[in-house]
């Protein structure tokens, strides 16, 4: 093979060198095509050695990840959940703020260790990433104009409507599937979305019910409402990390379980969601 049999006068020492090189090459190919759980262990070990876990988040999504008014301080439901998780794991936490569309890529390429930004747990994403156990449960709603609900009663009425959102979200995909014209925004704050519904640049914003309710409540001067009857897409959110990081996932899940059991997550939820406990599944009729 590889020309060795054709060169019968090849010296013994040269033969050994060639075979050794081939073994090394084959071994390298084997390792590249058959990754083991060592990578998962090495990331958790690396995090422990650094004493810091790097978290990707947007910093613009109220009330889950945002900057307090007149302050540079990052806070929010998931931000404070992550701070407590890090504390219980004896780690410092470093937040890396970026656009929502960049979060999954940042996890995949190792720029951040994990990401948290109201990220829906879906079967498709679970094929590519590891998720923590959920610590938030919700469903989809819609922000529409107050005067006519933007002509929307059901999801079928999205056909031909202009729906605003980030490119990679589940809600943008739901709008597209029901015939909406997508209008893509890059990591803008809530007031931009809401004013564009009010002024007609958009007809609707599809997103999480709790997030939308608080956004509308926080900006009462903008003439929009959360749709009073439209409820769809029951969902759960969790922390996302690279596929195969099983040890890291296990460590985080252990702490989340403790925080759910001792009421810590419920307390944080009520602080940021106007008294609502988003750590339990809502009891509501959902449009199929």
């Amino acid at each position: 093979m590889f020309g060795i049999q054709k060169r019968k006068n090849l010296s013994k020492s040269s033969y050994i060198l060639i075979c050794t090189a081939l073994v090394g090459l084959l071994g390298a190919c084997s390792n590249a095509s058959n990754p083991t759980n060592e990578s998962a262990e090495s990331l958790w070990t690396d995090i422990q050695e650094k004493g810091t876990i790097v978290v990707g988040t947007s910093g613009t999504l109220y009330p889950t990840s945002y900057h307090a008014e007149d302050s540079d301080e990052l806070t929010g439901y998931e931000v404070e959940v992550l701070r407590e998780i890090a504390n219980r794991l004896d780690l410092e936490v470093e937040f890396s703020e970026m656009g929502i569309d960049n979060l999954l890529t940042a996890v995949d390429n190792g720029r951040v260790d994990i990401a948290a930004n109201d990220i829906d747990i879906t079967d498709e994403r679970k094929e590519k990433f590891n998720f923590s156990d959920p610590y938030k449960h919700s469903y989809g709603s819609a922000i529409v104009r107050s005067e006519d609900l933007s002509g929307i009663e059901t999801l079928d009425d999205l056909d031909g409507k202009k729906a605003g959102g980030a490119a990679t979200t589940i809600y943008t995909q739901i709008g597209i599937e029901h015939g909406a014209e997508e209008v893509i925004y890059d990591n803008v704050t809530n007031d931009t979305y809401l004013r564009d519904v009010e002024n007609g640049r958009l007809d609707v914003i599809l997103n999480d019910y709790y997030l939308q309710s608080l956004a509308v409540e926080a900006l009462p001067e903008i003439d929009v409402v959360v749709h009073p009857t439209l409820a769809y897409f029951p969902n759960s959110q969790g922390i996302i990390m690279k596929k195969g990081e099983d040890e890291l996932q296990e460590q985080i899940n252990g702490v989340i379980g403790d925080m759910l059991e001792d009421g810590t997550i419920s307390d944080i939820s009520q602080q940021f969601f106007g008294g609502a406990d988003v750590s339990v599944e809502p009891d509501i009729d959902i449009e199929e």
Side-chain angles (χ1 to χ4, degrees):
M1 295 192 314
F2 298 97
I4 292 176
Q5 291 181 346
K6 291 183 179 180
R7 298 189 58 186
K8 298 188 184 224
N9 295 326
L10 191 68
S11 69
K12 181 177 181 181
S13 60
S14 297
Y15 182 86
I16 292 172
L17 286 173
I18 292 172
C19 288
T20 301
L22 288 174
V23 169
L25 177 61
L26 292 172
C29 292
S30 175
N31 289 335
S33 60
N34 295 288
T36 68
N37 286 332
E38 291 179 1
S39 60
E41 296 176 356
S42 66
L43 177 57
W44 171 239
T45 300
D46 182 55
I47 290 171
Q48 286 183 300
E49 289 175 351
K50 291 186 302 182
T52 301
I53 188 165
V54 181
V55 181
T57 193
S58 72
T60 61
L61 186 61
Y62 179 85
T64 195
S65 171
Y66 67 100
H67 289 271
E69 189 174 0
D70 300 325
S71 171
D72 290 332
E73 180 188 359
L74 184 67
T75 188
Y77 173 62
E78 286 186 277
V79 169
E80 300 308 329
V81 167
L82 262 296
R83 284 197 170 112
E84 181 62 19
I85 288 173
N87 180 61
R88 296 192 186 198
L89 290 173
D90 295 322
L91 298 170
E92 297 293 326
V93 60
E94 175 185 323
F95 291 99
S96 178
E97 296 178 43
M98 63 190 72
I100 295 170
D101 293 343
N102 297 323
L103 287 173
L104 302 190
T105 300
V107 170
D108 201 37
N109 65 24
R111 178 180 169 189
V112 299
D113 299 319
I114 59 178
N117 201 81
D118 207 57
I119 300 173
D120 294 313
I121 301 171
T122 66
D123 290 339
E124 181 180 3
R125 286 175 176 167
K126 286 168 70 174
E127 291 179 0
K128 301 175 183 178
F129 297 92
N130 279 14
F131 272 94
S132 73
D133 292 334
Y135 47 78
K136 178 174 176 285
H137 304 276
S138 188
Y139 57 93
S141 187
I143 290 178
V144 291
R145 286 184 288 278
S146 301
E147 57 185 2
D148 61 354
L149 303 183
S150 298
I152 297 169
E153 293 184 11
T154 70
L155 290 176
D156 289 338
D157 295 325
L158 293 174
D159 189 19
K161 303 293 185 183
K162 292 173 290 186
T168 60
T169 69
I170 296 296
Y171 293 102
T172 295
Q173 187 59 42
I174 289 172
I176 293 171
E177 289 172 356
H178 287 85
E181 175 189 342
E182 59 179 331
V183 181
I184 300 303
Y185 291 73
D186 182 22
N187 211 36
V188 299
T189 52
N190 288 330
D191 61 308
T192 300
Y193 281 112
L194 269 58
R195 291 191 188 282
D196 280 354
V197 172
E198 181 186 45
N199 65 32
R201 182 170 186 262
L202 298 175
D203 294 305
V204 62
I205 304 164
L206 304 174
N207 211 312
D208 174 87
Y209 167 76
Y210 292 112
L211 300 184
Q212 292 199 328
S213 296
L214 288 169
V216 170
E217 181 181 343
L219 298 164
E221 70 277 10
I222 303 177
D223 191 19
V224 296
V225 295
V226 176
H227 199 290
T229 60
L230 187 61
Y232 58 94
F233 183 57
N235 56 78
S236 299
Q237 289 74 39
I239 297 163
I240 196 167
M241 63 205 80
K242 188 178 290 187
K243 189 71 173 178
E245 305 294 0
D246 298 336
E247 188 174 7
L248 177 59
Q249 180 187 48
E250 182 179 349
Q251 294 290 333
I252 290 173
N253 281 344
V255 174
I256 288 175
D258 292 341
M259 290 170 64
L260 287 169
E261 185 174 351
D262 66 24
T264 300
I265 290 182
S266 177
D267 290 343
I268 297 173
S269 170
Q270 292 177 62
Q271 175 185 349
F272 287 98
F273 286 95
D277 186 358
V278 301
S279 68
V280 298
E281 296 186 32
D283 182 14
I284 189 169
D285 292 331
I286 300 293
E287 179 178 343
E288 297 295 333

